[in-house]
Every structure is written in structure tokens, then in C-alpha cells.
Amino acid sequence: MESRVQAGYKSTAQFRCIACASTASETGTAFRCQTCGDLLEIVYPHWSEAFQPAALIELWRQRRATPLPLDQSGVWRFREILPPEIGEADVVTLREGNTPLYSLPRCAESAGVERLLAKHQGMNPTGSFKDTGMTVAASVAKQQGFRWVACASTGNTSASMSAYAARAGMRSLVLIPEGKISWGKLSQALDYGAVTCELQTDFDGCMRVLNEVVGRMPVYLLNSVNPYRIEGQKTAAFELMEQLNWQVPDHVIVPGGNLGNSSALGKAFFEMKQLGLISDLPKISIIQAEGANPLVRTMRETGGKKLIPVHPETMASAIRIGNPASWKKAVRVLEGTGGTVEQVSEAEIALAKAEIGADGIGCEPASAVTLAGLKKLVRQGFIKASESVVLILTGHLLKDPDFTLKFHRGDLFPSGDAQAPGVAQAQRKPMVLEATAAAVIRALEAADKRS
Ligand code: F0G
């Protein structure tokens, strides 16, 4: 790798336990603290001596114009804030990151805010934010000579992991809950060559089985308890700030499942402040589905002290998780940034998804909880109309076409729920017509009168 911004930067990454703060230069296979068993995070003790904020900003800007594969990746372009020990020859990249920041004018109006932006992480190579973390953790697996990588997943991690494993010439093992992931995501894992096991359990059950497999076989764990995943996922926040010319928004809203992503984005903002790249933090708020709300319950019922696991149920299958691994990291982000948690109903998620679609953007159901949550937070007065808000859209619209079709055809909800305010107006059912221009023109005129 090329030399650092300033000579003299010699630190390598260090692993630190999030609970007891013991440090280690190596992780076990399960990425747990050897002393107390909690999660590890990567820290960089010598950063502040090494970097000048203005020089970093300029270096990252210049890299946008070079043809080098590492610079064309929206993750590796920020390599100064990634673990330095990953050699360039081992980097597995699909040119991830570089995702667009869109304005959402109609959604802004319906939510009651003046400035609403969406960072669309679904525009990554495999269609979700997972690619930004996977490029880093898969590179480590390659560097360490692993033949097999593995994950438990609600779909997107498995799609991403199997793509990066295939690029690196590694084999991949995927554990998914049977019948509970979208076809789009399952088809990706198959196409990228994963050994795909559908287990008769939920995501949390898949995670339990996988932990045992990892303890017994030489496979490299690529779930977000792997702290290298979190490092890669941080870059989305650096890229966001670059796109905003380093002007910090008032609020960032992110969906919560296993809580790796909210942890990563929070870590990024804490580090940007530490490095002097920004002087304030945005409030980072985390939204869950009502039926899969362990963090919401944990915050409301224990003040973030003790996890309350739940039996998860939501049609936003990506976040159908009841026992999130990174809950303590997420609590720290909420407390450190002054953000909040909220939960949204199935009808609110479906409606918000259709509204994001109607702004010409689109996303998968789990991403739409952000807009549904924003509406609630505005109504509660936590977010003011004049404040700037960025939604993190985590997955592409085409990840779950079944959900979208059922919604617009009116088949998503058992009859009662479909009466939720606004749902009927947002449905855009396809019409079956006789094959004549007259029939089409009648449909066109009728639609024109309605809008
Ligand atoms: N949005 C999407 C589209 C996801 O796929 C996930 C998680 C989340 C949000 C929540 O992110 O877990 O970091 O809090 N999907 C994982 C998976 C669990 O297996 O694909 P989180």
C-alpha cells in the first residue's frame, strides 16, 4: 500500500473489547473478547498524531480521478481510516461504495421537513450496504489464507459474501432461515456459487448454529460481529460527509436489524470528530419494525442496560431479527449522538416504501422504515421541520419484488390492515385491458383525472 499521508504512522489496528476494554492484537475465530466474551472493535491509537484533516480531504478528493482499482472503490479510497495491515494484493473489490445521495422532495413534503436526502446504499454492486464491509473482511479472509467463509443471513449478507468470496476464489457457506428470505437475495447466493443451507429456524437460530460450525471447522466468520465488516461500513459516512462538503446534517436515520450498520455509522462519525474532519455530530436514530423491535424495547424498558430479545416477525425480512449481536455498540451510538429509537408498523413500512418509489428512487422494505420512522419523529417533535435529515437506504428495490407486487396488487395485508391511512391511495395496481388503443386511452384519462 502507498505511504501514509504523513511519514511516521506505524500503528497497526488494535482490537479492543467494547465491555471490559481489554486490548488484543489478535481475535479468536468468533471475534469475541478472550477475557469477558463481549464484542471487539478496532481502534487506532496513533491516529491524531498522523493525520491532517485538510490533507486527508484533499487526498480522498484526488483519488476520485485516478483509474486505480483501489481508488475507484468508494471504500478503499478512504483507506487511511481502515486497518493498515491489509495488503493491496489481497484486496477483493467490486468497486463498492460511491453510492448516490439523492434528494427526496415528495417524501420531504409528506414527512413535513424541508431538507430530506437519501444515501442509497442499495446502489452497491450486490444491491445492499453489505458490500462496503464485505470488501474489507473478505480481503482479510483472503490474506489469512482461508478456503471457506461463512455467514448467517436474512439475505443481503449472504448475497454480498458469496460474491466477494467468488471474486477471491474462496468457497462460501450460507445459513438462512427457511422460507424467510426474499427470492432476489437467495438467487444471488446461488448464482455466486455459495453452498446454501436453508435451516428450519429464524436468523437468530442460524447465527447459533453458525457459531458452533465456526468453532469446529476452519471457516472464516463474515457476520458483522467481525469487526473488519464494521470498518468497511464506516466509509459510507465518510463518503456522505464528502458529498455534503463536510457540513454535518442534523439527523441521520438508519434501519436496525443485527445493529452492525448503525454501530458502523456511529463509529465513523465519532472518528471523523476525533480526526478533526467535522466539529459536530448528527443525531443518529435507529428504526425497527414493531414486530422485530428488541432495541426499542431495550432502550424503553431498561434504558439500554440489558437486551430484551423478542420473537421477530415482520415482512421487512432483512430486519427480522430478535437477538441483535451489536446491541451494545448501537446503544453507545444512540447515547453518544443524542439520537433516538422508534418502531413502525407493517402498514407504515409499506406506505413509506411506495412513497420512496414515487420519488423515483425505490428501496427494499427494511430501508423504508427510515422514512416511516422520520414521519413519527417529526410528529413527536424530535425532528424539526427546519432540520436537515439523511435517510440511509440499505437495499435496492429489486431485492424483494414480491413485497412490492403484493403491496400494489392489494395482497400484502390481511383485509383489515389494508385500510391503514394512505395505503389504498399509494397502491398502483396493474390493469388487465383488451389490446386496443381505446382501452389504453381510457385508462390514461382516468389516471390523469385522479392525479
Ligand atoms: N437493511 C437491510 C436491507 C439489511 O439487509 C439489513 C441487515 C439491515 C437493514 C439491518 O442492518 O443488521 O446492520 O442492523 N441484513 C443482515 C443480513 C442481517 O443478513 O443481510 P444491521
Side-chain angles (χ1 to χ4, degrees):
M1 279 210 163
E2 76 186 52
S3 62
R4 295 279 154 184
V5 178
Q6 266 196 352
Y9 179 60
K10 296 212 174 52
S11 111
T12 52
Q14 201 177 61
F15 301 100
R16 187 174 66 193
C17 174
I18 60 162
C20 74
S22 354
T23 55
S25 55
E26 276 180 15
T27 66
T29 52
F31 301 103
R32 295 272 168 184
C33 171
Q34 306 289 326
T35 312
C36 76
D38 219 315
L39 292 186
L40 300 173
E41 64 180 347
I42 295 178
V43 290
Y44 305 88
H46 302 295
W47 260 8
S48 44
E49 306 136 39
F51 297 138
Q52 299 294 328
L56 279 178
I57 288 172
E58 181 55 19
L59 179 70
W60 294 336
R61 198 187 61 76
Q62 281 173 8
R63 285 188 184 143
R64 296 175 72 98
T66 90
L68 300 173
L70 245 62
D71 291 348
Q72 289 199 350
S73 160
V75 172
W76 295 99
R77 195 158 63 77
F78 298 100
R79 52 195 172 271
E80 283 67 29
I81 53 99
L82 296 176
E85 68 269 20
I86 304 166
E88 189 168 335
D90 290 312
V91 168
V92 190
T93 174
L94 287 164
R95 316 296 188 271
E96 50 291 313
N98 298 315
T99 58
L101 182 64
Y102 296 122
S103 69
L104 294 179
R106 290 176 204 90
C107 292
E109 208 181 315
S110 90
V113 291
E114 285 153 26
R115 286 169 296 160
L116 180 60
L117 298 171
K119 173 86 174 144
H120 205 329
Q121 293 294 91
M123 298 299 187
N124 268 292
T126 77
S128 84
F129 71 97
K130 306 287 181 181
D131 296 342
T132 55
M134 207 54 77
T135 181
V136 176
S139 300
V140 173
K142 183 177 174 212
Q143 186 172 45
Q144 295 185 1
F146 277 89
R147 175 168 148 75
W148 281 91
V149 293
C151 70
S153 181
T154 56
N156 280 325
T157 301
S158 56
S160 179
M161 180 191 75
S162 37
Y164 281 85
R167 294 297 297 173
M170 297 183 292
R171 305 290 314 277
S172 56
L173 172 71
V174 161
L175 304 190
I176 48 173
E178 187 195 13
K180 296 294 183 191
I181 84 166
S182 74
W183 293 114
K185 299 171 191 177
L186 177 57
S187 64
Q188 285 182 287
L190 301 180
D191 222 32
Y192 300 135
V195 172
T196 304
C197 307
E198 298 189 78
L199 304 190
Q200 292 165 337
T201 177
D202 57 11
F203 169 83
D204 305 296
C206 291
M207 206 61 243
R208 270 196 305 279
V209 173
L210 183 65
N211 281 331
E212 203 179 319
V213 173
V214 167
R216 290 164 57 175
M217 300 293 291
V219 297
Y220 187 75
L221 178 67
L222 278 177
N223 278 96
S224 59
V225 296
N226 180 325
Y228 289 107
R229 285 265 317 271
I230 302 296
E231 293 309 289
Q233 285 174 210
K234 280 186 333 194
T235 57
F238 284 78
E239 189 176 87
L240 168 66
M241 289 315 302
E242 190 181 56
Q243 287 166 315
L244 291 174
N245 206 17
W246 304 94
Q247 300 299 304
V248 181
D250 296 304
H251 296 272
V252 172
I253 304 185
V254 59
N258 213 19
L259 300 173
N261 202 32
S262 38
S263 305
L265 298 173
K267 186 171 194 277
F269 279 105
F270 295 143
E271 288 179 357
M272 283 189 265
K273 191 152 180 246
Q274 182 200 339
L275 288 169
L277 291 162
I278 56 175
S279 46
D280 300 310
L281 295 171
K283 291 190 172 74
I284 300 181
S285 294
I286 303 174
I287 315 296
Q288 297 193 301
E290 274 175 6
N293 61 352
L295 184 70
V296 175
R297 292 197 52 190
T298 296
M299 294 307 292
R300 292 189 182 161
E301 294 169 36
T302 78
K305 300 278 181 298
K306 188 173 179 303
L307 179 67
I308 303 191
V310 302
H311 289 292
E313 203 42 82
T314 170
M315 284 189 278
S317 57
I319 51 172
R320 191 173 173 276
I321 294 176
N323 190 12
S326 295
W327 70 275
K328 278 189 195 162
K329 290 186 181 179
V331 169
R332 210 167 49 178
V333 170
L334 291 171
E335 287 172 350
T337 68
T340 189
V341 282
E342 192 45 88
Q343 58 187 353
V344 290
S345 71
E346 299 292 291
E348 287 170 328
I349 296 171
L351 183 58
K353 191 178 112 57
E355 288 182 317
I356 294 167
D359 248 329
I361 305 297
C363 63
E364 67 165 284
S367 308
V369 300
T370 54
L371 177 62
L374 168 65
K375 290 186 194 174
K376 274 186 128 166
L377 296 179
V378 171
R379 283 200 299 273
Q380 292 161 7
F382 182 78
I383 295 180
K384 313 268 177 307
S386 59
E387 290 181 316
S388 54
V389 182
V390 177
L391 306 181
I392 307 295
L393 301 182
T394 45
H396 197 279
L397 171 67
L398 295 177
K399 284 283 191 173
D400 195 352
D402 258 12
F403 181 103
T404 309
L405 277 173
K406 280 188 184 151
F407 174 79
H408 288 294
R409 287 187 167 141
D411 300 335
L412 193 63
F413 299 108
S415 47
D417 291 8
Q419 308 310 319
V423 166
Q425 294 91 301
Q427 282 165 342
R428 297 175 275 272
K429 213 180 253 190
M431 286 169 275
V432 179
L433 302 175
E434 69 184 44
T436 64
V440 174
I441 289 167
R442 267 197 307 279
L444 179 67
E445 286 173 345
D448 193 49
K449 276 200 202 107
R450 278 199 303 274
S451 55

